[in-house]
Amino acid sequence: MVVDSPVGKLTLLARGSGLCAILWPDDKPGRVRIGAPVPHAGSAILIETARQLAEYFAGSRTRFALELDLPARRFKKRYGKPC
């Protein structure tokens, strides 16, 4: 899902039920190793991420409350060790 923002178009990517990346307009392909993200805009987590980002850029949000699906979290869950 691509959303407009004051810093340019941001690409939001999710995997499972969690946000796995927010890519900047000029991000290099492969900078973030995310595996197979959800490519469509209908994902509930992507819609919620876009809503919270809009609130943040409007100045009404200072903290985010989003489910994340990051490689380091999966590693820690599997092996019980910090990355």
Side-chain angles (χ1 to χ4, degrees), residues 26-46:
D26 295 324
D27 262 335
K28 295 177 179 151
R31 179 186 67 82
V32 179
R33 295 179 181 160
I34 53 176
V38 174
H40 56 83
S43 169
I45 189 63
L46 295 181

Side-chain angles (χ1 to χ4, degrees), residues 3 9-10 20-21 29 35 40 45-47 53 57 61 82:
V3 296
K9 292 188 183 289
L10 300 175
C20 64
H40 56 83
I45 189 63
L46 295 181
I47 292 167
L53 279 170
F57 287 122
R61 177 176 287 277

